[in-house]
Amino acid sequence: MNFTFRGTAAQFQSSLEGLGLLLIIAVMVIYIVLGVLYESFIHPITILSGLPPAAIGALLTLLAFRQDLNLYSFLGIILLIGIVKKNAIMIVDFALVAERERGMLPAEAIYKGCLQRFRPIMMTTMAALLGAAPIAWGHGVGGEARRPLGIAVVGGLLLSQSLTLYLTPVVYLYLDRFQRRREHALKETELATAER
């Protein structure tokens, strides 16, 4: 005997099937927009490097509170993408401007970026955390349905915020070295072909 969902349950199940693809498309669109903004393939990867800790934090918190991965929790994860991406953009943007306009070395520029942008990052993160806390608490009419959204946002922000200020500079420096080596290798190749 086989059982299938019908009516509203079937529509709800079909709406959940495309959410993983929606998440992948959202990250790809963000990468493309950041690539155009920074005119680089490397810096968007630095900015998006904070997303895996946010997703892991959200999923672990949902698991700890025994909440399902449903439409509301997916919405919370999509909200996390925007908040975490914004934190990394603030740091990387400052570092790039410091490198170009002030002539700082990458390590010094990203360090200064973390120091200068620490307060605004903490302010916006705390505002998002405190805004999501009542939703995570889940009281009131329909509060239990929206509870996974708040739990996903709070858990993801807590883990990603504790790692972003350490992870983003490390990824920035490694990818900067990779880009410099690549440019150096391309110049050597051009010189070798020009000599022939």
Side-chain angles (χ1 to χ4, degrees), residues 81-168:
I81 290 173
I83 296 168
V84 172
K85 171 183 62 71
K86 180 258 322 153
N87 292 346
I89 285 174
M90 291 172 73
I91 295 171
V92 170
D93 199 44
F94 183 91
L96 289 174
V97 169
E99 274 188 62
R100 289 179 190 150
E101 295 180 3
R102 300 181 195 167
M104 288 184 182
L105 294 172
E108 184 186 4
I110 196 71
Y111 175 74
K112 291 278 188 188
C114 288
L115 289 178
Q116 293 286 329
R117 299 298 188 208
F118 178 75
R119 191 178 69 172
I121 286 172
M122 289 305 294
M123 287 169 58
T124 54
T125 301
M126 290 306 294
L129 262 173
L130 295 174
I135 300 170
W137 192 255
H139 284 290
V141 179
E144 291 178 2
R146 292 185 299 271
R147 192 166 182 231
L149 185 149
I151 289 173
V153 170
V154 169
L157 279 176
L158 285 175
L159 185 64
S160 71
Q161 189 57 43
S162 59
L163 294 177
T164 296
L165 292 172
Y166 301 106
L167 184 67
T168 302

Side-chain angles (χ1 to χ4, degrees), residues 26-84:
V27 171
M28 287 174 54
V29 168
I30 290 168
Y31 177 82
I32 291 168
V33 170
L34 290 172
V36 170
L37 179 67
Y38 291 110
E39 298 175 354
S40 170
F41 294 112
I42 300 291
H43 296 304
I45 296 172
T46 306
I47 291 166
L48 294 176
S49 66
L51 296 184
I56 291 168
L59 293 174
L60 288 177
T61 310
L62 286 169
L63 188 65
F65 284 91
R66 295 183 179 156
Q67 296 292 322
D68 294 330
L69 187 63
N70 58 19
L71 190 64
Y72 286 108
S73 53
F74 256 97
L75 183 61
I77 291 171
I78 290 173
L79 282 169
L80 274 175
I81 290 173
I83 296 168
V84 172

